[in-house]
């Protein structure tokens, strides 16, 4: 039996650069209140959201991704031609095939980089980051571009009081490359498919195509069930990620959870007993829930504002439809 040679990879991987793109249109709660019976106070108290960004016709999934990726590549100090793989996490690219990653790789000017999409909802960035780390260590790629991007305004039912105020659009990207010491910890990830009905698309595309329903499919959720799961179960997963990385909450500098809801974030901070010195991402207030884009967008903003700095140790965790989740500890670029 022939022996297969191992890949010529690197011992470790790290995030080298980050970039984000938020659509130009800022949508305040007042706009949402035109179609649902609620109030600005109720929306803020239940979610922490004050504004969100909605894309225009030109701000496509691909266009937003290219903008965010260009910033991440520049931040990493490399060229697009050095990117060996492009991984895009999205649930709002409406072409079943080809993958939007191939269009993005071409527009960026990569040298025939491997390119594919993944569908892991709000945990998608963590899934992509884990895949990228594996490619670097295995030697399949020297640099990997991981993108989280959504146009959730296309999948929002503006008459659904439970979700109309939640979702926003945007793209976040990171470049992952080789490192001389551990900078992306072990990933604690998984799925709980028995709870898949708690966050879902209202109907399949075929139901709309065949005229069984008049309303375009949208994302809906059982708010209380999602809240309980996120607060109690995801705090456990976050702790497991800390344990896997061999650190404690006291060792953290930054906490970047999926920006789903500020009440969930506050509850996780309390359950994890994070010290006062830990900076907590609260990008949800002005960006809303952007699913796979929320963690890299929040990371980019913390670094841009100086609330976090290069070399900080951060706990990141994404969780959402599936139900799926992924948590890890990273060194910020």
């Amino acid at each position: 039996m022939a022996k297969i040679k191992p890949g010529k990879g690197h011992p470790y991987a790290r995030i080298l650069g980050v970039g984000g793109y938020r659509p130009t249109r800022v949508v305040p709660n007042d706009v949402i209140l035109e179609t649902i019976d609620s109030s600005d106070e109720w929306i803020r108290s239940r979610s922490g959201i004050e504004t969100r960004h909605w894309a225009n016709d030109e701000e496509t999934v691909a266009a937003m991704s290219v903008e965010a990726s260009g910033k991440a590549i520049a931040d990493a100090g490399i060229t697009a031609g050095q990117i060996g793989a492009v991984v895009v996490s999205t649930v709002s690219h409406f072409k079943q095939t080809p993958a939007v990653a191939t269009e993005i790789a071409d527009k960026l000017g990569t040298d025939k980089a491997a390119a594919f999409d993944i569908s892991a909802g709000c945990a998608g960035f963590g899934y992509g980051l884990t895949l990228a780390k594996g490619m670097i260590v295995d030697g399949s790629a020297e640099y990997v571009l991981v993108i989280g991007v959504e146009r959730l305004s296309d999948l929002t039912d503006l008459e659904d009081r439970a979700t109309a105020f939640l979702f926003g659009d945007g793209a976040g990207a990171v470049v992952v490359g080789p490192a001389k010491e551990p900078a992306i910890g072990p990933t604690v990830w998984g799925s709980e498919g028995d709870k898949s009905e708690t966050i879902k698309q209202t109907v399949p595309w075929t139901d709309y195509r065949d005229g069984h329903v008049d309303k375009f499919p949208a994302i809906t959720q059982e708010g209380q069930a999602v809240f309980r799961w996120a607060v109690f179960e995801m705090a456990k997963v976050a702790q497991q990620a800390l344990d896997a990385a061999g650190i404690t909450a006291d060792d953290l500098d930054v906490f970047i959870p999926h920006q789903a809801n500020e009440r969930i974030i506050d509850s996780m901070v309390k359950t994890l007993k994070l010290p006062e010195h830990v900076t907590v991402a609260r990008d949800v207030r002005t960006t809303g829930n952007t699913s796979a884009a929320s963690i890299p967008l929040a990371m980019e903003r913390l670094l841009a504002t100086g609330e976090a700095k290069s070399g900080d140790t951060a706990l990141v965790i994404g969780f959402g439809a599936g139900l799926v989740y992924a948590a890890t500890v990273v060194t910020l670029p």
Side-chain angles (χ1 to χ4, degrees):
M1 182 181 293
K3 290 186 178 181
I4 299 174
K5 293 174 64 176
K8 297 179 180 180
H10 298 270
Y12 308 110
R14 68 167 295 153
I15 299 173
L16 299 173
V18 60
Y21 180 82
R22 293 171 175 80
T24 55
R25 183 188 177 192
V26 177
V27 180
N29 289 338
D30 288 349
V31 172
I32 307 299
L33 296 174
E34 294 174 4
T35 52
I36 61 170
D37 180 18
S38 187
S39 68
D40 179 66
E41 181 184 5
W42 186 88
I43 293 174
R44 291 180 188 234
S45 65
R46 294 298 294 266
S47 67
I49 298 173
E50 303 167 8
T51 61
R52 73 284 294 146
H53 295 254
W54 284 354
N56 61 33
D57 291 344
E58 288 73 36
E59 292 167 321
T60 63
V61 165
M64 292 191 293
S65 297
V66 169
E67 289 292 330
S69 299
K71 295 175 184 177
I73 291 169
D75 192 43
I78 65 169
T79 66
Q82 293 175 271
I83 298 291
V86 178
V87 183
V88 178
S89 178
T90 185
V91 298
S92 49
H93 174 58
F94 291 151
K95 285 185 180 179
Q96 194 71 39
T97 192
V100 72
T102 59
E103 178 183 350
I104 295 165
D106 177 63
K107 287 185 174 179
L108 287 171
T110 67
D111 184 16
K112 299 180 181 179
F116 59 95
D117 299 350
I118 58 175
S119 176
C122 306
F125 176 74
Y127 276 49
L129 188 63
T130 303
L131 293 173
K133 174 186 174 182
M135 292 182 215
I136 303 303
V137 173
D138 175 67
S140 300
E142 187 79 2
Y143 299 99
V144 180
L145 180 64
V146 179
I147 304 166
V149 57
E150 303 291 3
R151 272 183 56 124
L152 293 182
S153 58
D154 291 332
L155 286 168
T156 298
D157 180 354
L158 294 178
E159 297 178 349
D160 181 359
R161 189 172 185 270
T163 61
F165 60 91
L166 282 176
F167 302 122
D169 303 336
V174 299
V175 171
V176 181
K180 295 180 179 180
E181 57 186 30
I184 300 175
T187 300
V188 177
W189 57 354
S191 65
E192 297 184 35
D194 60 316
K195 300 180 180 65
S196 61
E197 291 296 301
T198 55
I199 307 174
K200 64 180 182 179
Q201 184 172 304
T202 49
V203 295
W205 301 114
T206 48
D207 281 8
Y208 182 74
R209 179 198 66 187
D210 297 339
H212 299 316
V213 294
D214 296 327
K215 211 168 195 178
F216 193 75
I219 296 174
T220 187
Q221 68 176 29
E222 298 173 14
Q224 288 302 313
V226 173
F227 182 87
R228 289 193 297 269
W229 176 76
V231 168
F232 296 109
E233 297 304 319
M234 292 305 97
K236 296 176 186 177
V237 171
Q239 183 59 56
Q240 290 170 15
L242 291 175
D243 295 341
I247 67 172
T248 68
D250 290 336
D251 298 314
L252 282 178
D253 300 304
V254 185
F255 179 43
I256 311 177
H258 165 48
Q259 302 293 292
N261 178 307
E262 193 164 35
R263 289 175 62 210
I264 291 175
I265 294 171
D266 289 340
S267 296
M268 291 183 72
V269 168
K270 184 177 180 181
T271 302
L272 288 167
K273 299 179 180 178
L274 295 185
E276 287 290 328
H277 75 263
V278 176
T279 297
V280 179
R282 299 184 185 279
D283 195 41
V284 67
R285 293 173 178 170
T286 55
T287 306
N289 179 343
T290 55
S291 189
S294 78
I295 290 175
L297 277 174
M299 183 184 295
E300 185 258 356
R301 174 161 281 174
L302 288 175
L303 288 166
T305 60
E307 296 173 81
K309 62 183 185 299
S310 175
D312 278 353
T313 299
L315 169 63
V316 299
I317 179 170
F319 46 85
L323 295 171
V324 294
Y325 55 87
T328 189
V329 174
V330 304
T331 302
L332 294 183

